[in-house]
Amino acid sequence: MADLHDDLSDVGTHRGNDPEPETGQTVRSPTGPDPNATEAQPAQGLFVVVRAPSGEWLSIQAHSARAEVAGPDEGEEVGQYRSVEALRDALADADMNEHVAVFEDAEADRVLVENDVSAHHAWIGKPRYPRVTLFRDADEANAFAEAHERSGEDA
């Protein structure tokens, strides 16, 4: 208050005109989140779904939630999903029910072949299986699993 000009009183009220109620400008503030909604959840991971150019297989690759993944070397990327639920919905839309799946087990360093896998299989989206490949044909799935087992033994 020490910086007041000499011609202004340091005590009193404003005696000027009242401000106009309408300024002619519209001011908007962003709408916040719904207070009744559930709290935000951290991403479970990044799931990248890739389809073979021939359409014979569909691969699901799991990455950490903060991973930035380049496009696939082989095949066409179907999508990237941040939750298991979104991944399952995408697989259901891709009509991959009743396919044979090859699960790459990271903990046991082996592959597992499961018949008649649907989008809601319990192992899909689990960190233990960082790559799942779905095949239409059981013989192709078994050949893929055998080739993977042999390549794992040589490493």
Side-chain angles (χ1 to χ4, degrees):
M1 298 280 295
D3 294 355
L4 292 176
H5 294 284
D6 294 335
D7 62 340
L8 293 177
S9 168
D10 59 349
V11 179
T13 60
H14 174 70
R15 300 200 191 282
N17 296 335
D18 289 331
E20 293 187 31
E22 277 298 318
T23 61
Q25 295 179 350
T26 303
V27 178
R28 294 186 179 134
S29 63
T31 304
D34 182 4
N36 296 326
T38 59
E39 292 184 18
Q41 300 295 322
Q44 297 165 332
L46 173 63
F47 303 99
V48 180
V49 179
V50 177
R51 182 183 308 276
S54 62
E56 295 299 317
W57 54 261
L58 189 73
S59 175
I60 305 161
Q61 298 168 359
H63 303 278
S64 69
R66 294 181 180 236
E68 292 185 23
V69 180
D73 294 334
E74 181 183 355
E76 172 189 348
E77 184 176 300
V78 174
Q80 295 186 5
Y81 308 95
R82 296 281 178 179
S83 71
V84 175
E85 294 79 23
L87 171 64
R88 292 178 189 276
D89 291 343
L91 292 176
D93 291 344
D95 192 30
M96 294 305 291
N97 291 333
E98 299 180 10
H99 281 65
V100 179
V102 178
F103 290 89
E104 296 180 20
D105 187 344
E107 290 179 21
D109 194 27
R110 64 181 178 156
V111 294
L112 302 168
V113 178
E114 283 285 312
N115 294 321
D116 297 330
V117 173
S118 72
H120 299 286
H121 191 280
W123 292 355
I124 292 177
K126 299 291 183 191
R128 181 173 181 161
Y129 308 102
R131 183 172 174 187
V132 180
T133 308
L134 302 164
F135 292 90
R136 295 181 191 274
D137 183 47
D139 293 334
E140 289 181 26
N142 289 324
F144 178 82
E146 288 176 20
H148 185 71
E149 285 288 332
R150 280 193 301 263
S151 68
E153 291 172 2
D154 294 340

